Amino acid sequence: MTLPFNVSRTLAVAERDLRRFRRNIQLVIPMVMMPIIYLLILGKSMGGDLHHIPVAIVVEDEGAAAAAVRKQMMTLQAARQLFLVREESDVRAAVDRLRQGDYRAVVIVPPNFSEDFARGEKAELGLALDNTDGTSSNTIEGEMRRAIADLRVEGRAPPMARVGVTVERVDVYGHKNYMQYLVPGVIALALFFVAMVAGGIILVDDRARGIHEGYFVTPLTSLDLVMGLTLSATTLALCMGTLVTVSSIAIAQLPLIGGLPTLLMVEFTIFLLGLGLVLFMFTLMARVSNPMTPRALFGILNVITFFPSGALYPTESYPGWLQALSRVNPMRYAVHALRNLLLKGVGFQAVLPDFLILIAFAGVMLVLASTLFKRTL
C-alpha cells in the first residue's frame, strides 16, 4: 500500500518547524510559564480565606456583656487574623470612616446591651457594612453571628430564659448585587485589552512589516514617536472604555449616585488607566521585533495585572508576595477608584490618592518607553 505522503519529507518539515521554536525560545517559555502563573495567581487571589479585614467597634455600654463582645472581636483578630479591630468612640465618625474606605464594617454595642443580656431579653448588636464588597460583608456578618451566638459572660451563668444576642445588619450603600460589584473590573479589563492590542500587538506588527522604517529618515525623536502613538492608543482606550462603562451600567442596572461629577471622574480614571497601560505596553515592547512575542505574553500579562487588582476578590486574602505585586499594580488603584465612584458615589478627595498613583505610573512609563523605544529594524 502506498502512503499518501512521504515519511522522510514529512519528518523534514517537522524538523524544520521544531528548529524554528528552538531558535525562538522566548515563544516556548510562556507556554510553560502560563499555566504555572495561572495556578499561582488565581489560586492565591481568589477563594482564599480573608485576613486582616479592617473593622471598627463602637462600645456604648460598659457592662460585662459588652466586654465579652469586645473580647470575641479580639479573639478573631488574634487567633484567626480575620479582623484588624480598631476602637472608635463615636458611631457617626466610625461610619464616616467606613464610607472613606478605612473600614469594611462597624460593630455597634448600644447602651443597655449588657442589661438586656442579663435579663434574658434580646440584646441587639448593630453591624454597619460596606456592602459594595459582597464577599467581605457576607464573611464579616457570618463570622460575627457565629462569634456571638453563644456569648458567655465571665463570672456569670447565662439566664435560663435568655433569648440571646442578635445582629442587626445595615447595608450602608443599599442593596448591591455581584454583577454591580464586577463593573469596575470589567472596565479595567477592557482597557487592558485595548492597550495590549494597540500598544503591543499592532506596534510590533507594524515594526515587523517595516512601517516604522519610514520614521527613521525623519527628524522625529523617540519621544515624538511614543507621544504620537500613545495619543492614538489612549484615544481608542478612552472611547472603548466609555462604551464599556455605559453598557455595563445599563446591564448591571447600576444607579449613577453622584451624577455628572461622578461620571466625569469615572472618565478621568479611564483616561489615566488607559494612558498608563498603553505606555506600559510600549515599554515592554520597545525593543521587540517578533510579532509572536506580544501574543505569547498576552495571557501572562492579563493574569498578573487583572487578578491581583482586587477586581474579583478582596485583596485582604492575598499572601504577602501577592500583596506586594498588587501594590505596584496600577489596575488595583483604578479598580478602587471606579468602585468608590460607581458604587459609593464618593467625592474627589476620596479618589485623589488613586489618581496621583496612576499619574505617577504613567509618568514613569513615559520616560521608560521613550528611552527604550527602538528606532531601528
Side-chain angles (χ1 to χ4, degrees):
M1 180 179 177
T2 303
L3 295 175
F5 61 92
N6 185 285
V7 175
S8 61
R9 290 198 294 264
T10 300
L11 292 176
V13 172
E15 181 185 7
R16 180 261 173 195
D17 208 51
L18 288 172
R19 287 179 183 273
R20 181 177 62 179
F21 282 105
R22 189 180 66 181
R23 290 193 301 268
N24 295 276
I25 192 67
Q26 70 271 20
L27 301 180
V28 178
I29 293 176
M31 298 179 192
V32 178
M33 294 300 298
M34 188 178 298
I36 298 174
I37 291 175
Y38 264 77
L39 175 63
L40 288 173
I41 302 295
L42 269 67
K44 293 296 184 179
S45 66
M46 297 181 63
D49 292 334
L50 295 180
H51 300 290
H52 307 121
I53 304 175
V55 174
I57 180 171
V58 181
V59 181
E60 299 180 313
D61 174 51
E62 297 300 327
V69 172
R70 183 189 286 111
K71 181 179 178 181
Q72 289 284 66
M73 295 282 295
M74 295 304 175
T75 299
L76 289 173
Q77 174 177 262
R80 294 184 48 195
Q81 298 183 339
L82 177 64
F83 295 152
L84 282 177
V85 182
R86 298 290 182 269
E87 294 203 36
E88 294 278 352
S89 58
D90 181 70
V91 173
R92 184 182 298 274
V95 173
D96 286 344
R97 292 192 64 181
L98 180 146
R99 291 183 178 275
Q100 295 300 318
D102 294 335
Y103 301 125
R104 295 294 181 91
V106 177
V107 178
I108 305 165
V109 183
N112 303 321
F113 175 82
S114 296
E115 292 182 9
D116 292 339
F117 181 85
R119 288 195 299 265
E121 300 176 358
K122 183 172 68 173
E124 295 183 353
L125 283 179
L127 182 62
L129 292 167
D130 177 358
N131 60 298
T132 58
D133 181 353
T135 302
S136 293
S137 60
N138 291 335
T139 298
I140 294 169
E141 181 186 14
E143 291 296 333
M144 284 301 304
R145 290 188 184 279
R146 281 190 288 271
I148 57 86
D150 193 25
L151 190 68
R152 292 288 187 269
V153 177
E154 294 183 3
R156 295 185 184 179
M160 295 298 293
R162 180 166 67 88
V163 174
V165 181
T166 63
V167 176
E168 298 297 323
R169 169 173 174 160
V170 176
D171 290 334
V172 174
Y173 298 103
H175 175 70
K176 301 293 182 186
N177 58 46
Y178 191 63
M179 181 178 287
Q180 293 172 338
Y181 173 78
L182 291 178
V183 168
V186 169
I187 297 170
L189 187 61
L191 295 175
F192 170 82
F193 288 152
V194 174
M196 190 67 212
V197 173
I201 294 175
I202 292 179
L203 175 70
V204 177
D205 283 355
D206 286 351
R207 182 180 292 143
R209 291 198 300 265
I211 294 177
H212 285 183
E213 189 174 7
Y215 295 137
F216 302 157
V217 295
T218 70
L220 292 173
T221 65
S222 296
L223 182 59
D224 294 330
L225 294 176
V226 171
M227 290 291 288
L229 296 171
T230 300
L231 178 60
S232 171
T234 304
T235 301
L236 178 61
L238 185 60
C239 293
M240 301 310 310
T242 301
L243 180 61
V244 170
T245 299
V246 173
S247 302
S248 300
I249 289 175
I251 292 172
Q253 299 181 350
L254 183 63
L256 198 60
I257 301 174
L260 181 60
T262 294
L263 186 59
L264 292 176
M265 286 188 286
V266 167
E267 287 293 296
F268 188 55
T269 307
I270 292 173
F271 168 75
L272 289 179
L273 180 60
L275 176 63
L277 289 178
V278 166
L279 288 169
F280 174 63
M281 295 301 173
F282 282 165
T283 301
L284 291 181
M285 304 301 163
R287 297 183 177 274
V288 174
S289 299
N290 191 329
M292 290 299 296
T293 300
R295 293 171 173 84
L297 293 176
F298 188 92
I300 293 177
L301 291 175
N302 183 23
V303 172
I304 65 177
T305 55
F306 179 68
F307 290 100
S309 68
L312 301 179
Y313 205 76
T315 57
E316 286 84 1
S317 66
Y318 299 170
W321 64 270
L322 192 53
Q323 284 275 8
L325 177 61
S326 178
R327 290 190 186 98
V328 298
N329 180 9
M331 198 177 287
R332 167 176 176 161
Y333 303 98
V335 168
H336 182 261
L338 290 170
R339 185 164 289 143
N340 279 339
L341 291 168
L342 292 172
L343 275 67
K344 300 180 182 181
V346 300
F348 179 74
Q349 290 297 326
V351 293
L352 179 59
D354 299 314
F355 288 168
L356 294 177
I357 292 174
L358 291 171
I359 291 171
F361 176 78
V364 171
M365 290 299 107
L366 176 60
V367 173
L368 292 176
S370 58
T371 302
L372 298 174
F373 194 80
K374 183 180 179 181
R375 283 183 52 89
T376 57
L377 290 176

